[in-house]
Amino acid sequence: MPAKINLQLAVGPLRGDGYHDIVSVFHAVSLFDEVTVRYADRLGVAVSGEGAESVPAGQANLAVRAAAALAKATGLRGQAARLRIGIRKRIPVAAGLAGGSADAAGALVACNELWGTGLTQAALGEIGATLGSDVPFSLLGGTAVGIGRGEQLTRALVTGNYHWVLAFGVSGLATPDVYAACDRLRAARPGRTEDAGADDVPAPALSTELMAALRSGDPAAVGPLLSNDLQPAALSLQPLLRRALAAGKEHGALGAIVSGSGPTCAFLAGGAQEASELAVGITGAGVCRAVVQVSGPVPGASLISDGMAN
Ligand code: C5P
């Protein structure tokens, strides 16, 4: 299951249910977690790889919750308690890359196969949306526009393959903290009246310029149009990210942006060679924990062999 970055993240007002209405252009990139499921006597979860120590290995694990939700929806409640789930992580935790959602999506696809429940991707997406706003996109992959809280998806028309450098932050950021910081920054805006509620935050709108640039397939056109309304909030919580973004621009990135709620920074390169050079430059600047090169769009959660999912 792939990581995602947001090519646009427009955040609207805080809703009554604690979520924000958003418009997101999701883009799946070639950094994958792997989820395997097998029958077992009782529930077991083994997490390995990147950030494994901070992933819960019990009922709070998103893959476990996904298996339980699928079992419940298909009348197989007992099955979820007889699973051995393996999660091989490459997507960092709390990074703005939807790593937890990827694991939930993987468990849905893998258990759907193991149990022969035969649900469509759309039906899995509906179950996934109850687990996290980004799970439906982790199932779909590619490039898609998400509205609502990000779970209502439409595929986007994109030409070509885009080369990215991802710079991982030194520590993670919790998504609710970043949304809350965004609300605080908005409330403190100069000229905002005391009694102005969430109503004065405009509804989020899709960038038609970005969509046209994605159709054209020209990374030089896409780069300057990347945008993220959560970026000021992420920068306020981790000021070091400013230096990471500046280092990317200095080393030739066509676009530089915090991914989702951060702290991962995503840098767009003109091609594979340019991405290699950019990765070397950003690594040398010493402003992040690790740097990887990825490309997108890539497909969503898919099976790699019987009973196993990627
Ligand atoms: O849906 P998910 O569990 O990923 O969301 C985590 C948190 O992020 C939510 O509890 C909420 O605080 C925030 N969020 C939001 N608006 C969204 C998506 C997430 O405020 N559209």
Side-chain angles (χ1 to χ4, degrees):
M1 304 72 54
K4 65 82 193 161
I5 58 178
N6 306 76
L7 308 184
Q8 182 192 3
L9 180 51
V11 178
L14 177 63
R15 311 192 313 199
D17 63 1
Y19 287 88
H20 295 72
D21 265 323
I22 64 167
V23 170
S24 169
V25 180
F26 292 109
H27 183 69
V29 294
S30 58
L31 178 68
F32 301 95
D33 280 0
E34 283 174 22
V35 174
T36 58
V37 293
R38 291 188 179 82
Y39 287 115
D41 294 339
R42 57 193 172 83
L43 180 69
V45 186
V47 188
S48 63
E50 165 76 41
E53 63 290 343
S54 47
V55 178
Q59 301 288 343
N61 186 287
L62 266 174
V64 173
R65 290 176 49 205
L70 177 62
K72 187 176 169 204
T74 53
L76 296 173
R77 276 172 196 269
Q79 294 291 48
R82 287 193 287 275
L83 271 186
R84 172 86 184 156
I85 301 180
I87 304 175
R88 165 110 190 104
K89 289 211 63 71
R90 293 194 194 85
I91 308 172
V93 176
L97 296 170
S101 299
D103 302 344
L108 288 173
V109 169
C111 291
N112 195 37
E113 179 74 11
L114 184 71
W115 298 335
T117 32
L119 264 60
T120 61
Q121 189 185 80
L124 292 178
E126 276 181 35
I127 297 171
T130 66
L131 303 161
S133 307
D134 294 342
V135 180
F137 177 72
S138 297
L139 289 162
L140 184 68
T143 305
V145 177
I147 61 166
R149 57 188 173 89
E151 86 287 16
Q152 299 164 40
L153 298 168
T154 311
R155 273 200 190 283
L157 192 60
V158 170
T159 303
N161 196 26
Y162 294 84
H163 295 268
W164 302 89
V165 174
L166 303 181
F168 300 152
V170 176
S171 55
L173 277 175
T175 305
D177 294 352
V178 181
Y179 273 101
C182 175
D183 292 338
R184 279 200 304 278
L185 289 176
R186 285 175 166 176
R189 263 194 319 239
R192 198 163 188 262
T193 55
E194 270 292 298
D195 55 354
D199 292 350
D200 72 335
V201 176
L206 182 65
S207 164
T208 50
E209 293 87 354
L210 173 65
M211 300 313 283
L214 288 168
R215 281 194 299 275
S216 80
D218 177 9
V222 170
L225 295 170
L226 301 171
S227 68
N228 180 359
D229 285 354
L230 289 182
Q231 184 162 307
L235 294 178
S236 75
L237 297 172
Q238 285 197 13
L240 183 65
L241 297 179
R242 274 180 213 285
R243 287 180 48 204
L245 293 173
K249 286 181 197 152
E250 214 173 283
H251 288 92
L254 300 173
I257 196 166
V258 170
S259 175
S261 55
T264 303
C265 293
F267 303 95
L268 180 58
Q273 178 60 33
E274 288 87 344
S276 297
E277 289 162 15
L278 187 54
V280 170
I282 296 169
T283 304
V287 287
C288 55
R289 178 169 61 81
V291 168
V292 296
Q293 271 175 256
V294 297
S295 64
V298 298
S302 53
L303 290 167
I304 51 176
S305 70
D306 277 1
M308 290 179 152
N310 179 358

